[in-house]
């Protein structure tokens, strides 16, 4: 990366003075200009645009999700430099598909855009990771995987983040997940207590590569010896 | 173990006129008096109860009046574990490890509804009662408890410490969990203790 460009909020030319929105209708109103630009750029991959409480929701084709996010990030007329959330929704109506949702924000143009991609029924829950565009998607996608079991293809390190890695009861935010979990309370407690709280950090994680020479001798010896559980 | 009243021992006898510099007392009493008035708490704050705990420790309620001005953030130099807040399953082995690192004699206070019973969090992630992980001496009800309630619990604990007897070592025996399951109490008892009640029954939307 060659240096940072300082972007100040709303510094793009031709923008009106920012003001708090008033009397925002529930449905309708002016859509984010990016929605029209998306339609012009991607055509059929943009399935629907709706404005809810002044925020623009764009329903997109799942297969083109990564292309669309990358274009929104890279194109100078869009400049969505901040990915504020990656999440998913499963509806109580089991007939409706699970939707993956990206919240994008353009600080330069003061825009907010919500992208939704429905996952096809009966298909594996898979979607392209946007980690290659936004490094901040790392933990967001891990959380989404942890809670919904959606696999983000291309993610460098997709494992559970909130629950522990040996968690075997499933994905808690799915509608078929019982609120209290699948196992009995005693079994849940037994599994939780049998976990070694230090095992989730590998010796490599505990020793920062650059600081290796500053570690105590015994720790260096243990790492060299291939020990994998830290103290 | 309990807080039943025992007959008050002849506490201290001082005769300043005839025997200057001499105090006679029971060693039990002297040791317990020292312990009860210099309990070092190990705060284990996980949620909003910890805010009330901070208020208790701060100047308005002033926990230092009870000899607790020194918070032990190392379990190896603490006497009382105060668990303030809900305990998720992921934290259960951590809390167990901290408790095992504390030296005897040690006591534990469970502060608030969530730590004591799971409270409103009757879900997949939260332990339904901290006493399934570590033995607890005093439970503080409340959501969160007011500082007065915590102070009351601490005074109850001080009473309990005063009842300790050197001849009775049972209170100072480290409880070892079952090596196979790592549980203190039988699994059937845990299931019984954490049965659904109140609002948690109609929350089973999935019908399972």
């Amino acid at each position: 990366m060659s240096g940072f460009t300082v972007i100040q909020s709303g510094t793009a030319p031709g923008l009106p003075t920012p003001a708090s929105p008033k009397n925002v209708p529930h449905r309708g109103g002016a859509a984010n200009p990016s929605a029209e630009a998306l339609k012009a750029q991607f055509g059929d991959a943009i399935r629907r645009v709706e404005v809810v409480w002044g925020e623009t929701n764009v329903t997109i084709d799942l297969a083109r999700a990564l292309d669309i996010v990358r274009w929104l990030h890279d194109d100078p007329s869009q400049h969505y430099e901040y990915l504020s959330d990656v999440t998913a929704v499963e509806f109580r109506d089991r007939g409706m598909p699970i939707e993956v949702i990206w919240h994008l924000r353009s600080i330069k143009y003061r825009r907010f855009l919500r992208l939704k991609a429905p996952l096809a029924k009966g298909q594996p829950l898979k979607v392209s990771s946007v980690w290659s565009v936004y490094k901040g998607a790392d933990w967001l996608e891990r959380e989404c995987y942890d809670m919904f079991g959606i696999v983000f293809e291309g993610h460098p390190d997709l494992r559970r983040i909130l629950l522990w890695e040996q968690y075997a009861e499933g994905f808690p935010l799915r509608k078929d997940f019982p609120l209290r979990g699948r196992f009995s309370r005693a079994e849940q407690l037994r599994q939780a207590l049998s976990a070694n709280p230090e095992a989730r950090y590998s010796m490599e994680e505990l020793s920062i590569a650059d600081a290796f020479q500053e570690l105590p001798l015994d720790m260096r010896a243990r790492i060299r010896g291939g020990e994998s559980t830290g103290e | 173990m309990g807080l039943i009243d025992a007959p008050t021992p002849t506490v201290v006898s001082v005769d300043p006129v005839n025997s200057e510099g001499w105090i006679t007392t029971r060693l039990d009493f002297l040791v317990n008096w020292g312990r009860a008035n210099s309990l070092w708490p190990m705060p284990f704050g996980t949620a909003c109860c910890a805010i009330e705990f901070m208020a208790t420790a701060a100047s308005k309620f002033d926990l230092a009046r009870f000899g607790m001005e020194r918070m032990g953030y190392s379990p190896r130099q603490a006497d009382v574990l105060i668990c303030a807040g809900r305990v998720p399953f992921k934290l259960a082995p951590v809390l167990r490890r901290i408790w095992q690192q504390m030296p005897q004699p040690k006591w534990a206070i469970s502060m608030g509804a969530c730590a004591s019973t799971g409270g409103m969090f009757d879900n997949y992630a939260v332990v339904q009662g901290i006493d399934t992980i570590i033995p607890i001496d005093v439970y503080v009800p409340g959501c969160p408890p007011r500082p007065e309630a915590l102070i009351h619990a601490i005074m109850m604990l001080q009473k309990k410490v005063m009842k300790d007897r050197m001849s009775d070592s049972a209170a100072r025996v480290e409880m070892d969990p079952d090596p196979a399951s790592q549980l203190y109490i039988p699994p059937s008892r845990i299931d019984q203790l954490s049965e659904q009640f109140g609002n948690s029954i109609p929350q089973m939307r999935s019908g399972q």
Side-chain angles (χ1 to χ4, degrees), chain A residues 161-162 164 167 172 175-181 184-186 188-190 192-193 195-198 200, chain B residues 89-90 92-94 96-97 122-124 126 128 132 181-183 187 190-191 194-196 203 205-206 208:
Chain A
I161 185 168
L162 297 176
W164 56 102
Y167 189 74
K175 289 294 181 220
D176 59 355
F177 188 91
L179 180 63
R180 310 177 96 233
S184 75
R185 285 301 189 192
Q188 286 174 340
L189 199 64
R190 192 193 65 74
L193 285 176
N196 176 5
E198 286 154 358
R200 81 183 93 249
Chain B
F89 280 118
K90 198 171 174 179
V94 179
R96 165 72 67 80
R97 179 75 60 95
D122 191 8
N123 62 22
Y124 65 95
V126 176
Q128 301 299 299
T132 55
S181 65
Q182 295 293 317
L183 300 175
I190 292 175
D191 286 338
S194 45
E195 265 179 15
Q196 303 169 33
Q203 286 177 17
R205 282 182 185 147
S206 60
Q208 293 183 36

Side-chain angles (χ1 to χ4, degrees), chain A residues 43-115:
Chain A
D44 287 346
I46 309 301
R47 293 194 191 160
R48 196 167 72 242
V49 175
E50 54 184 356
V51 182
V52 181
W53 291 123
E55 293 175 348
T56 308
N57 299 345
V58 180
T59 308
I60 60 173
D61 200 7
L62 186 70
R64 303 293 304 278
L66 180 57
D67 296 339
I68 290 171
V69 170
R70 190 185 295 281
W71 182 77
L72 286 170
H73 175 264
D74 290 348
D75 194 271
S77 69
Q78 304 305 319
H79 214 284
Y80 283 87
E81 65 269 75
Y82 178 46
L83 175 74
S84 65
D85 204 2
V86 177
T87 183
V89 174
E90 182 173 6
F91 296 92
R92 285 179 73 180
D93 179 358
R94 299 281 182 89
M96 292 174 73
I98 298 179
E99 282 178 348
V100 186
I101 296 174
W102 294 267
H103 287 187
L104 298 172
R105 198 171 275 283
S106 164
I107 297 169
K108 186 175 181 182
Y109 292 103
R110 279 183 196 277
R111 286 178 191 166
F112 175 79
L113 191 66
R114 187 180 289 120
L115 298 178

Side-chain angles (χ1 to χ4, degrees), chain A residues 13-231:
Chain A
L15 274 181
T17 313
S20 301
K22 284 177 185 165
N23 304 323
V24 180
H26 180 203
R27 298 271 170 179
N32 186 331
S34 300
E36 279 306 310
L38 277 173
K39 274 184 184 166
Q41 183 75 18
F42 290 95
D44 287 346
I46 309 301
R47 293 194 191 160
R48 196 167 72 242
V49 175
E50 54 184 356
V51 182
V52 181
W53 291 123
E55 293 175 348
T56 308
N57 299 345
V58 180
T59 308
I60 60 173
D61 200 7
L62 186 70
R64 303 293 304 278
L66 180 57
D67 296 339
I68 290 171
V69 170
R70 190 185 295 281
W71 182 77
L72 286 170
H73 175 264
D74 290 348
D75 194 271
S77 69
Q78 304 305 319
H79 214 284
Y80 283 87
E81 65 269 75
Y82 178 46
L83 175 74
S84 65
D85 204 2
V86 177
T87 183
V89 174
E90 182 173 6
F91 296 92
R92 285 179 73 180
D93 179 358
R94 299 281 182 89
M96 292 174 73
I98 298 179
E99 282 178 348
V100 186
I101 296 174
W102 294 267
H103 287 187
L104 298 172
R105 198 171 275 283
S106 164
I107 297 169
K108 186 175 181 182
Y109 292 103
R110 279 183 196 277
R111 286 178 191 166
F112 175 79
L113 191 66
R114 187 180 289 120
L115 298 178
K116 297 183 172 189
L119 292 158
K121 297 295 285 185
Q123 298 293 315
L125 302 176
K126 279 184 184 171
V127 63
S128 299
S129 168
V130 298
W131 179 81
S132 54
V133 184
Y134 299 101
K135 292 294 176 281
D138 188 339
W139 283 12
L140 301 173
E141 290 179 351
R142 274 178 69 186
E143 183 186 348
C144 194
Y145 163 73
D146 193 358
M147 291 290 129
F148 288 94
I150 296 167
V151 175
F152 289 85
E153 289 176 311
H155 190 285
D157 181 27
L158 195 66
R159 33 184 190 119
R160 288 189 183 273
I161 185 168
L162 297 176
L163 297 161
W164 56 102
E165 285 176 43
Q166 297 82 21
Y167 189 74
E169 293 182 60
F171 302 103
L173 287 190
R174 297 274 285 278
K175 289 294 181 220
D176 59 355
F177 188 91
L179 180 63
R180 310 177 96 233
R182 295 188 200 280
F183 301 157
S184 75
R185 285 301 189 192
E187 175 63 13
Q188 286 174 340
L189 199 64
R190 192 193 65 74
Q191 290 198 1
L193 285 176
S194 63
N196 176 5
E198 286 154 358
R200 81 183 93 249
Y201 301 106
S202 66
M203 289 294 277
E204 287 77 13
E205 275 177 304
L206 291 172
S207 66
I208 305 153
D210 295 341
F212 183 80
Q213 292 304 323
E214 290 160 29
L215 288 174
L217 274 176
D218 60 331
M219 205 163 166
R220 272 188 264 171
R222 284 166 65 197
I223 294 170
R224 282 208 197 91
E227 203 167 314
S228 61
T229 302
E231 166 60 63

